[in-house]
């Protein structure tokens, strides 16, 4: 039946979904979760955010929530060379997708979102550690618009 899933999903959720749909057990070591509960309408235990590793033009990490895109970069590392994790990142983009769905206004460094940036930064550092086992600090934005 046609179903619209509002929760955020990622490519890492595809393989666990296919494994569960085939009737096999999803290995506990696998990153990602099966999306089948979402299709059934059960979003109770779903972490509604996506962690993205960026390496096309720069080395960076992104946390995408329903309302925010929060991005950090490792400016001294080339994007074309895969890096499991940098030793340190720098906050460089924060977008409020409710107010700015096309991501035109970068809020990074603005005083009015200092607490929000701190929460997103902490959450992203947790996700970096989950994915890579590395504890990589993220420095606040250095080009404040205040």
């Amino acid at each position: 039946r046609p179903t619209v899933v509002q929760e955020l999903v990622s490519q890492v959720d595809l393989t666990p979904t296919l494994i569960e749909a085939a009737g096999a057990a999803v290995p506990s070591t696998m990153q990602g979760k099966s999306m089948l509960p979402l299709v059934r309408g059960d979003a109770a235990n779903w972490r509604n955010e996506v962690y993205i590793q960026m390496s096309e033009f720069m080395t960076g990490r992104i946390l995408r929530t329903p309302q925010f895109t929060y991005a950090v970069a490792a400016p001294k590392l080339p994007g074309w060379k895969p890096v499991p994790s940098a030793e340190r990142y720098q906050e460089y983009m924060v977008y409020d997708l409710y107010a700015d769905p096309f991501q035109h206004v970068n809020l990074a460094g603005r005083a009015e979102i200092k607490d929000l940036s701190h929460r997103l930064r902490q959450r992203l550092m947790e996700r970096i550690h989950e994915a890579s086992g590395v504890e990589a600090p993220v420095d606040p934005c250095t080009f404040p618009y205040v």
Side-chain angles (χ1 to χ4, degrees):
R1 72 183 195 279
T3 302
V4 175
V5 173
Q6 297 295 329
E7 289 73 24
L8 297 173
V9 298
S10 180
Q11 287 179 319
V12 296
D13 300 319
L14 185 59
T15 301
T17 302
L18 294 173
I19 290 171
E20 184 180 344
V26 178
S28 61
T29 57
M30 183 170 278
Q31 292 185 17
K33 290 177 64 174
S34 171
M35 296 179 275
L36 290 184
L38 297 179
V39 173
R40 294 185 207 111
D42 178 15
N45 295 318
W46 194 258
R47 178 169 49 191
N48 202 18
E49 64 186 29
V50 174
Y51 169 69
I52 303 161
Q53 297 189 80
M54 178 175 46
S55 60
E56 292 83 20
F57 62 94
M58 68 186 322
T59 296
R61 303 296 182 255
I62 300 169
L63 181 70
R64 170 71 163 74
T65 72
Q67 185 172 358
F68 298 101
T69 298
Y70 179 81
V72 302
K76 298 193 189 274
L77 295 177
W80 49 266
K81 186 176 178 184
V83 176
S85 188
E87 291 180 16
R88 181 169 223 90
Y89 293 95
Q90 177 75 51
E91 174 183 299
Y92 85 105
M93 286 193 304
V94 181
Y95 293 103
D96 181 342
L97 301 172
Y98 290 175
D100 179 19
F102 298 106
Q103 301 184 124
H104 291 298
V105 180
N106 184 359
L107 301 173
R110 293 194 179 188
E112 64 267 22
I113 67 156
K114 183 179 178 182
D115 292 339
L116 169 68
S117 290
H118 177 74
R119 288 192 307 274
L120 291 170
R121 184 179 315 116
Q122 293 303 119
R123 187 67 198 124
L124 180 60
M125 287 189 303
E126 291 170 13
R127 293 300 298 267
I128 290 170
H129 184 259
E130 269 179 42
S132 66
V134 173
E135 303 228 0
V138 174
D139 296 324
C141 181
T142 58
F143 48 92
Y145 295 119
V146 276

